[in-house]
Structure formats: structure tokens, C-alpha cells
Amino acid sequence: MMAIISGRKLSKKIREDIKKDVSKLVSETAKIPHLVVVLVGDNPASQSYVKYKKRACKEVGIKSTVINEKESITEQELLTMINRLNDDESVHGILVQLPLPDHIDENKVIDTIKLQKDVDGFHPLNLGYMLLGRDGILPATPKGIITMLKSENINLEGKDALIIGRSNIVGKPLGTLLMKENATVTTAHSRTQNLKEKCLRSDVIVAAVGRPKLVTEDMVKPGAVVIDVGVNRVDNKLVGDVDYEAVKDKVSYITPVPGGVGPMTITSLLQNVVLCFKRIELT
Ligand code: NAP
């Protein structure tokens, strides 16, 4: 029996809980969790991601402020702004929407965000804590994927999991989180040989590449769990990295695109804002 893991439905449920949590925190502390999103330039994809994040914050009672900066902002100006937000006691989370223009060093920007306000979990120390299995802020997409798997009680222990893609924001951190769940993890990338063979022996496949129909029906073993992270625009429609229609009847669980990992990424971000708020205001 195949089941679709709807990130949209699961998000709705989790966001209701976040809303209750936020409301309780506001009455306890007389403060409102506040996320500041910094958007540089006018990349349409980034603009729409920021719009979704702002809308989601509103849905659960988190205050959000979007700072829109021109493409021409200098690296120093951006770092100065982040330092100001780091010191601003009314701000609990800082998110700089990536990618940044070429003249700005993303690493310097990420390193400058105060650890306690790093809601994206991209700061090297937060990633280090994750690697060591210590408490920290987890990157939103991998965190959302683990939440989806757990919501269906999918047993990962001893299972062969293949992650296709080794980015710092998805593939690499997800490998650590799946290993924590006792899966046996393989990470594939553009230099991997025999991808099909590796897919065919995997109980769980996570596709995070950005290439439509990278994972086809003949690459998936019957009963596998398939998580599609990819977001691609084909003929003006959003599709993932998995040939969904052909693969769906062969697997035990699959995530759709849109409505799968995407909403869960934003839900995990909301959870991270609340976590940062609690750490700042309640400890
Ligand atoms: P990325 O930085 O774009 O990197 C892509 C990865 O795919 C790299 O590791 C690359 O290998 C690998 N790759 C490229 N061609 C391949 C091939 N033919 N076979 C196997 N591996 C291949 O990755 P990303 O930022 O994680 O994004 C990946 C996709 O997920 C994109 O479509 C993005 O839009 C989407 N995404 C979605 C969400 C969401 O919330 N739904 C969040 C983040 C990203 P090398 O390392 O060797 O170059």
C-alpha cells in the first residue's frame, strides 16, 4: 500500500501547535517572537520564499520583518546590519535569504549571525553541534524531512538510506540526522558511479539535486520510501527530482512536489524561531 506523505497536511497540524505555544509564550513573557528576514536583490525565487515565510509567521503569531536591500549593498554594510540585529533585544531570529550576490561572501555572513539567533541552523557551530549530537538549531529542510518520516512511524533503524545531493543545507546535514536515527547512510553526488544500482538497494531514497526525473521507476525497489526535495520549474509547473507519476505505485511512501518537503521546511523554520525565542527569553 502506497501512502503520500503530505507536508501540507502535517504542517497544518504542527502549525496549530506552534500557534498555541506562541500564544502561551506571549502571555508568559509579554514579548513576541520576532524573525527578521534579510533579502538582498530581487531574485524572484528568493522573493517568493520570503513571502511564504512571512505568511507562515503571521499564521502562528510570530512577528516578522523583511529587510529588503539593494543588490549593490556592500559586504561590510550587510555585516554591520547583522551585528545591529544581533544586538537588538527585540529580535529572536535572523535569516539571510540565500543565495547572495557574488560580491558578498556567504560564509562571512553566516558566521556573523549570532548563534542564538541562527534560525536557519547554518552557523558552523550549530552544524557542529548537530554533528556531535548536541543541542543546537537544526537546518530546516533536513529537520522537516525527519519530522515527516517520524510522523508516519517509518522505522529507519538498520535501513539503507541513500541521499542524492551533498549540499551544506540539505544532503550533508540530513546524512547526520538519518545516521542518528540508526539508518545506514550513503550520500551520492555528481561524481557518483552506478547511481541506479545504489538506488535499487536502498530502503529510503532522498533526492536533493534539482534535476527533474532524476529518479525514475526502474531505479526504485518495491516498497521503498522516497522523499523528493527537488524544486524544478518545467513548463511553468513545479516538479521534483522524482518521476512521481511513474514511481508512486511502486513505493510504500512518497512525498509530492509541491506540497511535500517545501511546507515542512517552513514549518521547521517556525519551530526554530520559537526555540530561539525560548532560549533567549526563558533561560
Ligand atoms: P545544490 O547546492 O544545488 O547541489 C546539488 C547537489 O546535487 C550537489 O551535491 C551535486 O553534486 C548533486 N548532483 C548534481 N547532479 C547530479 C547527478 N546527476 N547525480 C547525482 N547528484 C547530482 O543542492 P540544494 O541546495 O540542496 O538543492 C537541491 C534541490 O533541492 C534544488 O532543486 C532546490 O531547489 C531544492 N531545495 C528544496 C528545498 C525545499 O524546502 N523543498 C530546500 C532546499 C533545496 P556535486 O556536489 O558533486 O556538485
Side-chain angles (χ1 to χ4, degrees):
M1 265 290 286
M2 182 275 287
I4 297 168
I5 315 178
S6 166
R8 206 170 273 152
K9 271 196 202 148
L10 181 58
S11 279
K12 193 162 180 278
K13 201 163 136 257
I14 298 175
R15 287 182 200 186
E16 277 161 18
D17 292 340
I18 298 174
K19 190 174 176 179
K20 282 186 205 141
D21 204 11
V22 168
S23 158
K24 196 164 149 262
L25 287 168
V26 172
S27 49
E28 270 170 23
T29 63
K31 290 178 181 167
I32 302 174
H34 182 195
L35 169 69
V36 174
V37 179
V38 181
L39 174 62
V40 179
D42 48 15
N43 176 328
S46 294
Q47 280 174 334
S48 74
Y49 290 137
V50 168
K51 196 176 77 189
Y52 292 137
K53 288 171 187 173
K54 196 172 162 58
R55 196 190 293 160
C57 283
K58 191 164 177 215
E59 201 183 312
V60 300
I62 291 174
K63 176 181 172 186
S64 68
T65 304
V66 177
I67 301 178
N68 235 306
E69 284 296 338
K70 289 207 178 78
E71 180 103 14
S72 58
I73 188 174
T74 66
E75 184 180 280
Q76 194 47 54
E77 282 167 340
L78 186 57
L79 297 181
T80 303
M81 181 211 290
I82 292 168
N83 276 317
R84 183 175 56 75
L85 296 169
N86 283 341
D87 293 339
D88 184 338
E89 286 185 4
S90 75
V91 174
H92 305 95
I94 303 168
L95 184 158
V96 179
Q97 186 66 42
L98 302 178
L100 289 169
D102 289 346
H103 66 277
I104 299 174
D105 182 344
E106 278 184 6
N107 287 336
K108 269 195 201 163
V109 171
I110 292 169
D111 292 358
T112 304
I113 295 171
K114 195 176 185 173
L115 193 64
Q116 288 79 358
K117 300 189 180 185
D118 172 38
V119 284
D120 256 339
F122 294 164
H123 190 286
L125 266 175
N126 267 326
L127 289 170
Y129 287 146
M130 181 196 62
L131 197 63
L132 298 170
R134 289 168 52 177
D135 275 352
I137 299 293
L138 299 176
T141 303
K143 175 174 172 161
I145 292 170
I146 298 292
T147 306
M148 288 174 108
L149 293 167
K150 286 192 172 172
S151 76
E152 296 289 339
N153 294 315
I154 294 168
N155 178 22
L156 296 165
E157 186 158 328
K159 296 291 158 64
D160 286 317
L162 174 71
I163 304 164
I164 319 175
R166 58 174 166 182
S167 71
N168 290 340
I169 62 168
V170 185
K172 280 185 204 164
L174 182 62
T176 305
L177 297 183
L178 285 173
M179 215 192 308
K180 194 171 172 219
E181 298 301 322
N182 297 318
T184 302
V185 179
T186 303
T187 305
H189 44 77
S190 67
R191 318 287 169 88
T192 296
Q193 292 178 1
N194 307 322
L195 183 64
K196 180 176 173 179
E197 207 176 90
K198 291 178 174 62
C199 283
L200 278 170
R201 63 166 193 247
S202 300
D203 305 301
V204 179
I205 298 174
V206 181
V209 172
R211 210 179 210 235
K213 296 195 180 173
L214 177 83
V215 178
T216 49
E217 186 268 338
D218 58 326
M219 294 168 81
V220 177
K221 91 171 169 191
V225 175
V226 175
I227 307 289
D228 195 349
V229 184
V231 178
N232 310 290
R233 195 166 278 280
V234 176
D235 299 333
N236 234 3
K237 256 184 72 184
L238 283 189
V239 297
D241 289 349
V242 176
D243 186 359
Y244 184 84
E245 283 307 319
V247 166
K248 73 177 192 334
D249 295 323
K250 202 172 176 184
V251 298
S252 55
Y253 292 93
I254 191 164
T255 64
V257 178
V261 174
M264 283 304 295
T265 294
I266 297 187
T267 298
S268 303
L269 169 69
L270 299 174
Q271 290 175 322
N272 283 349
V273 176
V274 174
L275 201 57
C276 287
F277 178 87
K278 285 181 177 168
R279 286 187 176 169
I280 292 170
E281 300 294 349
L282 301 183
T283 51

